[in-house]
Amino acid sequence: MKGHIMPPSALVIDDDVDIQLLGKMLLSRHGFDVATAGCLGELARKPALLNTHLIVLDFGLGDFTGLDILDYLYDLKINAPILLLSSCSDETAAHAIAEGNAKGLKMLGFLPKAKLMTGLSDVIEQIEASPKPPSVGELAQAIKQQHITLALQPKMSLTTGAVVGAEALVRWEDPTRGTIYPDSFIPLAERSGLMVPLTWNILDLSFAQLAKWHAQGLTLSIAVNVPAEFIKAENMLSMFDTLCSKYPIDMTKVTLELTESVGVECLGYARHVLDELRKRGCKLALDDFGTGYSSLTQLYRLPFDELKIDRSFVSLIDSEPSAQAITLSIVELGARLGMSVVAEGIENAEQQALLAKARCPVGQGYFISRPLSPALFDEWVSHQTTIVKRA
């Protein structure tokens, strides 16, 4: 019906049928369209259930726990807020919430099952008081009105400590909400077909930034994430040439980061487009290497220049022997193939030292620097350059 507004949805994950029914009844009273699931297996069979506005999660789920569910939600990049509803102890709940927050999930807190009847209303009020998520129309307007900005995460030589460039990350500066981070709008762009225009916007900003560095005499590179949809877009190469002609930049200082999905549907076409981009001087990086099923196939069939080791390995190399073995193997593989290797997600000095010892060329992560605005990035580069000269 014209003008009809769909109610918000919620998902109750609990293997107790009585709690499922009670949660469904209470959430329905607050206007939610409620679905239920009893275990991880059910979610794996019905992933569409996770396309929801609120997840209510039990900790104890038979063969699996809430931590297993959180891992699954992280892998799927779920953006819905999560309420832990359980009979577990406060200590267990605090651990689960900390684990979820560490993964970047939106953890609302803990509500004991015994307080479900009285405490759920407070949680709903908390959700309703929080800023409403952006809409497709608002994102489209933000792209047109140039409310998309760059945040630059430094990339550093792990041998010399010198700054070699930055990865271009994106922020949405909304006039009413303030800064909106990618986890709140990239999934929206992916679902709505806005990833291609958003990518053009980011490339334009990145090329402008690179031209500024060139004018300052800085030989830095910039890396930009591009999705598979962008590579397949009609007239992409001619539009890319038009964009390049706007800026006096050295294209060898541009790295386009692609995930392994870039060639899944049509490897031949993907190779043609990527070869053309390399002819224009761009370097190509295989992002999130090691996390997918076809990484090795893409590695030898597509013209990549660089491997980026996924943070899920790098962040554990000082605590998990298997993660360390995989990470160091990728560094060695890159060297054997004559490819540059970048380790992302470095979180402490020990991880950086292990990577440097393994002769990983380049690293990035919060231990080196959090993403910075362009102005703060320039200051950081100047400071880091001074440190390197003194060493």
Side-chain angles (χ1 to χ4, degrees):
M1 183 171 65
K2 187 176 180 179
H4 178 66
I5 299 176
M6 296 294 290
S9 58
L11 173 65
V12 178
I13 306 172
D14 198 308
D15 55 2
D16 185 331
V17 177
D18 291 335
I19 293 295
Q20 285 186 14
L21 293 174
L22 180 58
K24 188 170 186 176
M25 179 188 72
L26 294 174
L27 286 165
S28 297
R29 288 179 182 176
H30 288 278
F32 284 87
D33 182 9
V34 187
T36 61
C39 62
L40 180 59
E42 189 171 351
L43 295 177
R45 291 187 294 272
K46 303 175 183 177
L49 290 173
L50 294 167
N51 184 20
T52 188
H53 298 96
L54 171 66
I55 296 172
V56 179
L57 174 64
D58 187 16
F59 185 83
L61 294 165
D63 293 337
F64 298 95
T65 69
L67 295 178
D68 297 305
I69 303 291
L70 293 178
D71 283 339
Y72 184 52
L73 300 182
Y74 168 73
D75 290 338
L76 293 180
K77 300 180 180 179
I78 296 300
N79 199 41
I82 302 162
L83 171 66
L84 190 65
L85 173 70
S86 182
S87 300
C88 66
S89 66
D90 290 346
E91 182 180 1
T92 298
H95 173 65
I97 290 170
E99 286 285 313
N101 286 329
K103 296 178 185 298
L105 298 171
K106 294 182 178 179
M107 305 301 294
L108 286 176
F110 171 50
L111 180 64
K113 287 185 180 180
K115 297 182 179 180
L116 176 58
M117 291 288 290
T118 57
L120 187 60
S121 293
D122 293 337
V123 175
I124 301 302
E125 288 177 8
Q126 176 186 344
I127 295 172
E128 291 176 344
S130 63
K132 295 295 183 287
S135 67
V136 173
E138 288 173 322
L139 178 55
Q141 283 297 109
I143 295 171
K144 290 180 181 178
Q145 295 174 0
Q146 299 182 335
H147 291 162
I148 302 300
T149 63
L150 291 186
L152 301 168
Q153 181 157 42
K155 298 170 70 173
M156 189 175 78
S157 167
L158 297 180
T159 304
T160 66
V163 185
V164 297
E167 179 177 356
L169 305 175
V170 62
R171 304 287 185 262
W172 173 0
E173 299 299 336
D174 185 76
T176 56
R177 296 184 179 89
T179 302
I180 303 177
Y181 290 87
D183 62 345
S184 295
F185 66 89
I186 292 297
L188 180 65
E190 290 172 338
R191 294 193 301 267
S192 62
L194 288 174
M195 275 306 296
V196 172
L198 179 61
T199 301
W200 282 118
N201 194 316
I202 297 167
L203 282 170
D204 196 316
L205 293 169
S206 299
F207 288 2
Q209 181 63 57
L210 192 60
K212 180 181 177 183
W213 288 337
H214 287 354
Q216 295 171 341
L218 298 174
T219 57
L220 301 174
S221 64
I222 196 161
V224 184
N225 289 276
V226 294
E229 303 97 296
F230 179 80
I231 298 300
K232 295 182 290 185
E234 189 175 2
N235 300 321
M236 188 277 286
L237 289 171
S238 61
M239 293 173 66
F240 189 84
D241 290 339
T242 300
L243 178 61
C244 293
S245 67
K246 287 177 57 178
Y247 299 102
I249 58 176
D250 177 1
M251 290 304 296
T252 65
K253 296 297 182 180
V254 175
T255 299
L256 303 180
E257 298 185 357
L258 306 106
T259 62
E260 65 176 41
S261 63
V262 69
V264 168
E265 293 178 1
C266 184
L267 195 62
Y269 182 74
R271 183 176 183 88
H272 164 73
V273 174
L274 297 182
D275 278 334
E276 289 296 319
L277 289 170
R278 287 186 84 198
K279 288 177 183 177
R280 288 154 172 80
C282 296
K283 292 182 173 63
L284 304 176
L286 181 54
D287 200 9
D288 302 333
F289 184 74
T291 59
Y293 298 109
S294 57
S295 291
L296 289 173
T297 300
Q298 307 296 64
L299 189 58
Y300 79 84
R301 297 190 68 181
L302 293 175
F304 289 105
D305 306 283
E306 178 183 292
L307 295 179
K308 289 201 75 175
I309 311 174
D310 188 72
R311 67 182 66 250
S312 62
F313 300 120
V314 175
S315 63
L316 296 174
I317 60 173
D318 56 333
S319 59
E320 294 285 346
S322 57
Q324 183 178 136
I326 292 170
T327 299
L328 300 186
S329 296
I330 295 173
V331 173
E332 183 179 357
L333 175 64
R336 287 179 176 274
L337 293 173
M339 301 173 72
S340 180
V341 178
V342 178
E344 58 179 347
I346 300 173
E347 297 177 353
N348 58 50
E350 186 177 356
Q351 293 168 2
Q352 182 169 322
L354 284 167
L355 289 161
K357 184 179 179 181
R359 298 183 180 178
C360 180
V362 178
Q364 65 183 84
Y366 280 7
F367 180 70
I368 294 171
S369 173
R370 289 177 175 269
L372 303 167
S373 68
L376 290 177
F377 177 85
D378 287 349
E379 292 179 14
W380 188 88
V381 169
S382 178
H383 176 69
Q384 187 67 20
T385 302
T386 301
I387 292 174
V388 172
K389 287 180 178 179
R390 288 176 179 170

